Amino acid sequence: MRYFILGAGSWGCTIAQLLKENGHEVLLWAYNRELAERLNRQKRMPHVPDVELQVEVTDDATLAKEFDVLVIATPVQYIRSVLERINFPPRIVLNLSKGIEIKTGKRVSEIVDEFFKADYAVLSGPSHAEEVAKKLPTAVVVSGAHSEEFQKDFSNEYFRVYTHDDVVGVELAGALKNIIAIAAGIVDGIGGWDNAKAALITRGLYEMMKFGVHFGAKPVTFMGLAGLGDLVVTCYSKHSRNRRYGEMLTKEFDPIHLLEASSEVVEGAYTCRAVVERYGSEIDMPITKEVYEIIYRRKHPMDSIKTLMSRSLKMEFPSLGGTV
């Protein structure tokens, strides 16, 4: 299949290069002409400057009609404005982005459905662009329409794709793990406590699972690559912008200024806001709530830790519909 990729950040560029090397026709879209021209001239990937980009880049979104698959590799809070530039109904949409829209609380599939009645799939998993671009071993999942075709088109000697049957779970796992990664970064910044970080990741995974089940996701999805796999890499990797942001929050920087000054979008901060402000009264999400308090209400991280540690005592797994 032929792929038109919306988004020329590090992940969009990496996937474009992978598909090209796998023998597929690919065109990469950048949000303005200046960026497109710079990428075409320098032939270097953003944030992975030592890897050559051999894919042509355009700023003309109307060219997407000439391709089989419209690929979304745009920060979630900007997807709506980007899709408004697409002046035709695509047949197939493949999403690579991870997050929940703040103003609507919608997943990417739900945003896409507002614009197009297209076949939809999502690809997700532990896949930092910095390593995929350098052809280091990576495994991900793809769920939704044409998943077996995508599995064949994307897979190669360093990028292994598994198929999955839970679009909702794969989408929510990819979105929610970024929130927990911010919390993991906070633990790293405070003191790098091993016990605390292990507990945080374990309870965070359950929190993700409970939220997903509320919206019809399968619990087992969160134990796979889209859930546990992506959670682990995002909580520990030096490449994780969400973990790094959490660590910076312990250094007395202003949380909102950090977000605005970042050269990369910290999706977890926006997803956290979407979850708490849209669903906080429906689902008990204690870790997510404390991350929200630290970012948006300037709560001190140590006070949030005290809040979590002093919650009422309970069973570890009362039920997926009960309290954590």
Side-chain angles (χ1 to χ4, degrees):
M1 290 192 285
R2 298 170 300 159
Y3 294 85
F4 188 91
I5 299 179
L6 293 171
S10 55
W11 191 223
C13 287
T14 297
I15 287 299
Q17 184 65 31
L18 180 150
L19 287 168
K20 181 178 176 62
E21 293 180 358
N22 279 6
H24 303 287
E25 184 179 345
V26 184
L27 184 60
L28 189 59
W29 176 84
Y31 64 88
N32 62 36
R33 181 169 297 180
E34 179 184 358
L35 177 57
E37 291 178 348
R38 183 167 73 249
L39 290 171
N40 283 326
R41 181 176 64 256
Q42 296 178 350
K43 298 188 181 300
R44 286 291 180 269
M45 293 188 187
H47 310 294
V48 197
D50 54 340
V51 177
E52 184 178 1
L53 178 65
Q54 301 170 338
V55 178
E56 182 181 352
V57 186
T58 182
D59 66 319
D60 185 358
T62 65
L63 296 176
K65 62 179 177 291
E66 301 174 11
F67 291 77
D68 301 313
V69 183
L70 185 68
V71 181
I72 297 174
T74 304
V76 170
Q77 307 309 320
Y78 301 103
I79 286 177
R80 188 175 295 274
S81 62
V82 170
L83 292 183
E84 289 173 351
R85 303 190 188 198
I86 304 301
N87 61 352
F88 77 103
R91 185 173 67 88
I92 304 171
V93 175
L94 175 64
N95 173 42
L96 309 180
S97 300
K98 302 171 182 178
I100 297 173
E101 190 176 43
I102 291 174
K103 64 181 179 181
T104 65
K106 290 186 175 183
R107 306 185 314 274
V108 177
S109 58
E110 295 173 308
I111 299 171
V112 170
D113 193 54
E114 289 185 31
F115 288 84
F116 322 115
K117 300 305 177 184
D119 292 346
Y120 177 88
V122 54
L123 184 145
S124 191
S127 50
H128 285 307
E130 293 86 349
E131 293 195 356
V132 178
K134 295 178 181 179
K135 302 183 180 181
L136 300 178
T138 300
V140 299
V141 296
V142 62
S143 182
H146 309 281
S147 58
E148 292 184 357
E149 291 180 73
F150 289 133
Q151 181 182 44
K152 294 176 182 177
D153 283 3
F154 280 77
S155 293
N156 56 33
E157 61 184 7
Y158 65 88
F159 197 77
R160 182 174 176 82
V161 182
Y162 290 85
T163 58
H164 209 291
D165 62 355
D166 182 9
V167 169
V168 174
V170 171
E171 283 191 305
L172 289 179
L176 298 171
K177 58 89 185 179
N178 285 328
I179 303 172
I180 308 305
I182 292 175
I186 291 171
V187 172
D188 288 341
I190 289 175
W193 305 328
D194 293 338
N195 292 349
K197 192 168 181 179
L200 171 76
I201 292 172
T202 305
R203 299 306 295 166
L205 178 61
Y206 182 59
E207 195 165 298
M208 290 164 54
M209 189 182 300
K210 188 172 71 167
F211 187 90
V213 168
H214 181 84
F215 291 97
K218 299 178 181 180
V220 70
T221 302
F222 295 85
M223 302 306 296
L225 288 165
L228 179 60
D230 210 359
L231 178 63
V232 169
V233 77
T234 312
C235 287
Y236 279 99
S237 175
K238 63 182 180 181
H239 301 304
S240 170
R241 69 191 72 168
N242 291 281
R243 190 209 61 78
R244 191 162 55 244
Y245 173 73
E247 188 170 354
M248 294 296 287
L249 290 177
T250 68
K251 311 303 180 185
E252 299 186 2
F253 290 100
D254 178 83
I256 304 304
H257 176 72
L258 275 178
L259 284 178
E260 295 171 346
S262 176
S263 60
E264 298 178 283
V265 176
V266 184
E267 286 281 17
Y270 303 107
T271 300
C272 175
R273 182 178 171 190
V275 169
V276 172
E277 294 184 359
R278 301 288 304 190
Y279 306 110
S281 62
E282 299 177 38
I283 312 167
D284 186 28
M285 304 279 285
I287 297 172
T288 298
K289 183 177 183 297
E290 290 307 317
V291 172
Y292 177 87
E293 292 287 326
I294 292 169
I295 296 173
Y296 295 102
R297 296 185 178 173
R298 310 297 197 275
K299 187 172 182 178
H300 193 281
M302 283 303 303
D303 290 336
S304 283
I305 290 174
K306 291 177 183 176
T307 297
L308 290 171
M309 294 301 291
S310 61
R311 296 178 74 240
S312 60
L313 302 177
K314 49 182 64 70
M315 290 180 61
E316 183 177 17
F317 299 116
S319 74
L320 283 175
T323 58
V324 180

